[in-house]
Amino acid sequence: MLVYRGFSQPAHNATVLTIGNFDGVHLGHRQLLARLTAAATEAGLPAAVLTFEPHPREFFAPESAPSRLSTLREKLELIADDGVDLAYVGHFNARFAALSADEFIERVLVRALRVRHLIVGDDFRFGARRTGDFSLLRDAGARLGFQVDAMDSVTVDGERASSSAVRDALQGGRLEHAARLLGRPYSIDGRVVRGDQLGRQLGFATANIRIKHERPPLQGVFAVEVKGLPGGPHQGAANLGYRPTANQVTRPLLEVHLFDFSADIYGAHLNVRFLHKLRDEMKFADLNALKAQIASDVKTAQAYFQL
């Protein structure tokens, strides 16, 4: 998949396009992308996605914006996995936010992205003050020469698949339900870096993974599966949080203890899939109490995997 920052230059070809934030790339997004790629194949045109950075809610109200499910890199990787050819990342700033709905259609969709066929979700709104909707797009398409279709919401167990529903499930520790809404286990990517070796001192060596999430949508201790290492995927137990017992930190840390694994993996880029929550992060009286709890967590995680 080719990724373009902005759309100051017109697309090389006409496109079949969809638009959205795609945070988490949940099951509703994935069905929309499947419809997009099918329509693009039928038309013989590239399948294109327009998404935004930062998330519009982060621009308008950064203090109250929800935690992201996926970083920009994670989101683009997931979109690419679903067969999209082109991704346009629009810089969401004051100038972009001030575009009227008509200006967005004419400047961005028609002139820049050369849209031939547009597919959007049934709740899609756009333009300054969110005045644009499906009806306006349909009328503009008839006038300017592009087809517009809307896709109905996707439900899972009677609940609409949405980024907020996934976020609520993760924050509530209902990882299995989050996985049903996503169509896969929730995961976070990151690179293994050197830590302070505390896990090794306690008898449980951990991979310290630098993540880009400043406010991850889940915290605690989890049974996980790790991809990105030879012979994988590998199973383990992970702590995601702020280390309240020792060396409390201001940025979240992801530490993973892999079962029956001892290789040097510094610098490896890993994908950690969160399968089941074991407990919340806790503060212990001392390191001995922490060590005893880690041993218990490892046994619980191994039992989850039936090891």
Side-chain angles (χ1 to χ4, degrees):
M1 183 178 76
L2 297 176
V3 178
Y4 297 92
R5 288 278 190 169
F7 25 76
S8 58
Q9 298 297 321
H12 297 298
N13 301 293
T15 61
V16 179
L17 179 73
T18 191
I19 309 169
N21 293 309
F22 292 95
D23 188 25
V25 193
H26 56 65
L27 202 59
H29 293 143
R30 298 183 71 188
Q31 292 201 22
L32 177 61
L33 294 174
R35 185 166 171 180
L36 172 79
T37 54
T41 299
E42 182 177 352
L45 295 172
V49 164
L50 170 59
T51 191
F52 307 101
E53 182 67 23
H55 190 292
R57 290 179 66 179
E58 294 175 349
F59 172 78
F60 286 113
E63 290 79 15
S64 61
S67 57
R68 287 200 192 194
L69 297 173
S70 52
T71 64
L72 178 61
R73 172 175 173 161
E74 290 167 346
K75 176 170 68 174
L76 292 174
E77 287 175 345
L78 290 166
I79 289 172
D81 287 344
D82 281 333
V84 173
D85 301 303
L86 308 171
Y88 292 89
V89 182
H91 181 42
F92 199 93
N93 54 20
R95 182 179 178 183
F96 185 84
L99 284 178
S100 70
D102 287 334
E103 288 173 328
F104 176 79
I105 291 170
E106 294 182 13
R107 294 184 188 180
V108 177
L109 299 186
V110 176
R111 295 184 200 171
L113 303 184
R114 300 177 60 187
V115 63
R116 183 76 56 80
H117 186 177
L118 178 64
I119 307 172
V120 293
D122 56 5
D123 60 348
F124 179 65
R125 307 284 297 200
F126 64 99
R129 297 178 297 281
R130 293 169 55 85
T131 55
D133 57 11
F134 176 75
S135 177
L136 182 63
L137 282 171
R138 182 183 55 200
D139 292 345
R143 184 178 75 254
L144 298 171
F146 61 90
Q147 179 182 345
V148 183
D149 291 321
M151 195 184 86
D152 293 336
S153 296
V154 173
T155 59
V156 177
D157 299 334
E159 180 178 18
R160 179 176 177 271
S162 68
S163 299
S164 59
V166 174
R167 196 175 293 111
D168 289 344
L170 293 173
Q171 290 172 345
R174 297 176 288 120
L175 271 65
E176 291 80 0
H177 183 55
R180 289 192 292 272
L181 292 167
L182 289 165
R184 67 184 188 285
Y186 178 70
S187 65
I188 290 178
D189 292 351
R191 193 168 300 281
V192 180
V193 298
R194 293 191 180 275
D196 58 11
Q197 308 296 314
L198 177 62
R200 190 177 301 276
Q201 295 171 32
L202 296 176
F204 298 93
T206 60
N208 296 278
I209 302 174
R210 178 182 294 157
I211 62 175
K212 296 294 182 66
H213 294 256
E214 294 186 4
R215 294 184 296 121
L218 74 175
Q219 291 181 35
V221 180
F222 305 90
V224 299
E225 187 176 72
V226 176
K227 302 176 70 175
L229 295 172
H234 297 274
Q235 297 164 339
N239 185 93
L240 176 57
Y242 295 87
R243 272 194 173 182
T245 303
N247 301 326
Q248 187 166 351
V249 294
T250 56
R251 282 188 57 88
L253 289 176
L254 176 55
E255 302 169 282
V256 181
H257 172 69
L258 298 173
F259 305 144
D260 301 319
F261 189 89
S262 60
D264 184 341
I265 57 174
Y266 291 120
H269 189 269
L270 304 182
N271 174 259
V272 181
R273 297 157 63 96
F274 296 83
L275 304 183
H276 181 72
K277 185 169 184 176
L278 306 180
R279 62 173 175 86
D280 290 333
E281 194 174 35
M282 300 161 52
K283 184 172 183 177
F284 297 93
D286 52 39
L287 292 182
N288 286 331
L290 174 60
K291 179 178 179 179
Q293 183 61 56
I294 293 174
S296 176
D297 293 337
V298 168
K299 288 182 180 180
T300 304
Q302 290 173 328
Y304 171 80
F305 289 114
Q306 298 181 341
L307 296 178

